[in-house]
Amino acid sequence: MQNIPLYDETGFDGMRKAGHLAAKVLAYIEPFVIEGVMTETLDAKCHAFILDHGAIPAPLGYKGFPKSICTSINHVVCHGIPGPQKLCKGDILNIDVTVIVEGWYGDSSRMFWIPPIAPATKRLIDVTHEALFRGISEVKPGNYLGDIGWAIQSYVEAEGFSVVRDFCGHGLGRVFHGAPEVLHFGRPKTGIPLKKGMFFTIEPMVNMGAYPIKILADNWTAVTRDRRLSAQFEHSLGVTETGVEIFTQWLS
């Protein structure tokens, strides 16, 4: 059994503050996601915004990560490193933000795109968004981690897409990554039972093609092996007495 902390109301208050700022960062950066912008420019703007709000960008320096956000374009599954690459028409982009506010971690990501995008691409994004909320709908005391994974996997695969196996959601709170591991595939009524006070992320990565991925030479950037598109959405949440509280509710 994983050693999973159970937080009290003080923890919920801390996570609300951190989650709200993570959501504010994603809302702030949206107008700057335009054709021709470099992802390192988006990173610099998010970095400054986070500091201006008295917080710390958690990814910067984490296990050697060199930037303050992750920017994952097209067939990049996750952990894309911001750089000089410019966004082009038809690109899709996941921006992943984690902030530290008074010692609490707020972690969220969402998809952006540069119009026009193909209908099949928009459908991938919509299915991934729906998959996140199908997973969240299973969060309540008495359910299991496997219920979350099954809700996501069964829906995504019925829609003709695949769920990445190599990455998962994770516990957080006073730490960036901790127990439990939250798989986005699985079987009902399996795994760890959910209890009030658990904090974790749900962050399904959904591929247009097959689910295998590979890590590039920078030791961070994960891409689809078949180079087909991938999408991701993420929320941080807490298990309440009757269900779930989303700490990172998006503002746009």
Side-chain angles (χ1 to χ4, degrees), residues 7 9 12 16 139-142 194-200 237-247:
Y7 293 94
E9 191 57 31
F12 276 84
R16 289 176 189 126
V139 179
K140 59 185 176 181
L194 302 180
K195 296 180 180 180
K196 178 185 176 182
M198 286 183 176
F199 294 168
F200 51 82
L237 51 89
V239 183
T240 68
E241 189 169 349
T242 58
V244 62
E245 178 176 346
I246 299 173
F247 299 126

Side-chain angles (χ1 to χ4, degrees), residues 13-35:
D13 286 342
M15 289 298 288
R16 289 176 189 126
K17 293 176 184 177
H20 183 64
L21 181 57
K24 285 182 69 172
V25 177
L26 289 169
Y28 161 77
I29 202 62
E30 183 171 13
F32 300 104
V33 182
I34 58 175
E35 183 181 2

Side-chain angles (χ1 to χ4, degrees), residues 143-147 186-193:
N143 275 7
Y144 295 79
L145 286 176
D147 296 322
R187 291 293 177 266
K189 304 305 177 188
T190 62
I192 294 168

